[in-house]
């Protein structure tokens, strides 16, 4: 398995300036599910004064889009050490992410940053479980999924496991036979429920894995969990399993450390997690792995025509 290479380390001058900015950024406001435009402008003005921020922003955008990697890990570890991961740090992280696209939280019952903790009683394959979380894109069953999903590491697995995994979905598709790609382009797949969601369009069920859109606009609508959905015939299930195998074959990994922010362009990559280490029952709940998740919406995003 390859180690993820698209890491972005901030220059020390910029780190120092951002630490100083930590106490200067105001609390955010939201408009519906989205970070308010007024907050974005306030944050942008503050960040613009930080030395080397514009250059770092350019590197980040180039990494995430166009011919760049399509994913990035922004390493804010030194800032986390200085500020802790509380309100000041979250404002900084939110401000940086707002330079990529607009932060929002489509789950109505959660705040802007949604906790993904470790629950020993959860299904091991879920995001809060302790087992292997297979490749997927977030909100696969909506007509307008988030353009980016982001994960902030508050605490890594103290036992050293639980690496995040990613795979280039389009590269995986390109390795399939034309017959398999034709099956994946059919409106035959489904997964999950549509409950208490906002600003992600409508429920998309069934959906095609391959929507025929250009790579920067469409999605490879994949979640390995859809293989367990009833009603999927053997031909379509076989094609989806082939795609899952190709995703595993091309995966990269990174073990996030405290203060790391993983940003994934969902138009290009799927993500998941390796199992946490055995012995989680011996780790105090307040010391177990904890991530925070935030979604991003690009301007002008549209969804598929479903009628």
């Amino acid at each position: 398995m390859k180690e993820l290479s698209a890491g972005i380390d901030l220059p020390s001058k910029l780190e120092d300036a951002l630490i100083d900015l930590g106490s200067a950024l105001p609390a955010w406001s939201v408009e519906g599910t989205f970070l308010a435009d007024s907050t974005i402008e306030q944050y942008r003005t503050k960040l613009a004064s930080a030395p080397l921020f514009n250059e770092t922003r350019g590197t980040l955008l180039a990494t995430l889009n166009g011919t760049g990697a399509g994913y990035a890990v922004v390493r804010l570890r030194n800032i986390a050490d200085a500020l802790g991961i509380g309100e000041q740090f979250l404002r900084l992280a939110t401000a940086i992410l707002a330079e990529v696209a607009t932060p929002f939280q489509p789950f109505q019952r959660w705040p802007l940053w949604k906790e993904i903790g470790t629950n020993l009683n959860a299904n091991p394959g879920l995001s809060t479980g302790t087992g292997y979380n297979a490749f997927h894109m977030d909100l696969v069953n909506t007509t307008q999924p988030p353009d980016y999903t982001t994960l902030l590491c508050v605490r890594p697995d103290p036992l050293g496991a639980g690496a995040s995994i990613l795979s280039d979905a389009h590269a995986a598709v390109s390795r399939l036979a034309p017959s398999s790609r034709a099956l994946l382009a059919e409106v035959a797949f489904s997964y999950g429920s549509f409950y208490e969601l906002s600003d992600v369009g409508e429920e998309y069920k069934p959906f095609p894995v391959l929507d025929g859109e250009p790579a920067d606009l469409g999605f490879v609508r994949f979640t390995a969990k859809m293989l367990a959905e009833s009603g999927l015939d053997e031909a379509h299930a076989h094609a989806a399993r082939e795609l899952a195998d190709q995703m595993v074959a091309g995966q990269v990994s990174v073990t996030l450390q405290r203060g790391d922010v993983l940003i994934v362009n969902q138009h290009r990559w799927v993500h998941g997690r390796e199992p946490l280490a055995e012995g989680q029952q011996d780790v105090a709940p307040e010391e177990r792995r904890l991530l925070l998740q935030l979604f991003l919406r690009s301007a002008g995003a549209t969804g598929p025509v479903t009628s």
Side-chain angles (χ1 to χ4, degrees):
M1 183 192 305
K2 292 187 238 179
E3 287 290 320
L4 181 148
S5 59
I8 296 179
D9 293 296
L10 305 188
S12 58
K13 284 180 63 176
L14 177 55
E15 285 183 330
D16 292 341
L18 293 180
I19 291 168
D20 290 339
L21 272 179
S23 59
L25 291 177
W28 61 67
S29 298
V30 295
E31 297 171 350
T33 65
F34 288 88
L35 189 68
D37 289 342
S38 58
T39 297
I40 293 173
E41 288 305 314
Q42 287 177 304
Y43 286 1
R44 183 163 292 157
T45 299
K46 295 289 187 181
L47 289 177
S49 67
L52 302 177
F53 180 76
N54 285 337
E55 294 86 342
T56 301
R57 174 184 179 274
T59 298
L60 176 59
L61 292 176
T63 301
L64 291 171
N65 302 301
T67 59
Y71 60 85
V73 175
V74 182
R75 299 191 179 105
L76 304 179
R77 302 171 188 177
N78 293 336
I79 298 174
D81 288 343
L83 298 179
I85 301 184
E87 289 184 2
Q88 291 185 353
F89 181 91
L90 290 180
R91 290 172 191 171
L92 276 172
T94 304
I96 292 169
L97 291 171
E99 296 299 304
V100 175
T102 304
F104 80 117
Q105 180 51 260
F107 293 97
Q108 296 174 5
R109 61 190 182 276
W110 297 106
L112 193 62
W113 286 93
K114 172 181 177 287
E115 283 196 3
I116 301 178
T118 300
N119 183 351
L120 304 189
N121 297 317
N123 181 324
L126 295 179
S127 59
T128 56
T130 60
Y132 175 70
N133 184 218
F135 281 122
H136 61 282
M137 63 167 288
D138 288 327
L139 294 157
V140 65
N141 63 328
T142 65
T143 55
Q144 297 179 32
D147 297 291
Y148 302 88
T149 186
T150 75
L151 294 169
L152 162 62
C153 182
V154 178
R155 290 190 302 270
D157 178 2
L159 301 179
S164 294
I165 53 175
L166 301 101
S167 189
D168 183 333
H170 293 282
V173 168
S174 72
R175 296 191 290 268
L176 298 176
S179 58
S180 294
R181 293 200 295 269
L183 286 165
L184 293 172
E186 295 178 1
V187 181
F189 303 88
S190 61
Y191 173 73
S193 60
F194 189 92
Y195 179 69
E196 292 189 350
L197 295 172
S198 298
D199 295 306
V200 287
E202 301 172 355
E203 183 174 17
Y204 200 7
K205 183 179 182 178
F207 54 80
V209 173
L210 307 180
D211 58 18
E213 294 289 332
D216 60 336
L217 297 176
F219 298 90
V220 177
R221 291 178 177 272
F222 181 84
T223 171
K225 297 182 181 70
M226 69 190 181
L227 291 168
E229 289 277 329
S230 61
L232 192 61
D233 64 76
E234 181 52 36
H236 290 92
H238 180 72
R241 284 195 295 267
E242 286 186 318
L243 179 54
D245 290 344
Q246 290 300 328
M247 287 176 171
V248 172
Q251 76 182 36
V252 295
S253 71
V254 59
T255 301
L256 299 175
Q257 302 300 321
R258 184 172 184 266
D260 286 346
V261 181
L262 171 63
I263 311 171
V264 181
N265 184 334
Q266 291 217 114
H267 295 278
R268 297 173 57 183
W269 290 76
V270 289
H271 64 284
R273 182 200 64 235
E274 293 285 6
L276 303 186
E278 294 184 6
Q280 294 296 319
Q281 68 277 5
D282 298 323
V283 178
E286 66 274 11
E287 296 177 1
R288 293 175 189 152
R289 184 177 188 262
L290 174 62
L291 305 180
L292 298 179
Q293 185 174 47
L294 180 71
F295 298 100
L296 304 177
R297 167 76 70 218
S298 296
T302 60
V305 176
T306 58
S307 59

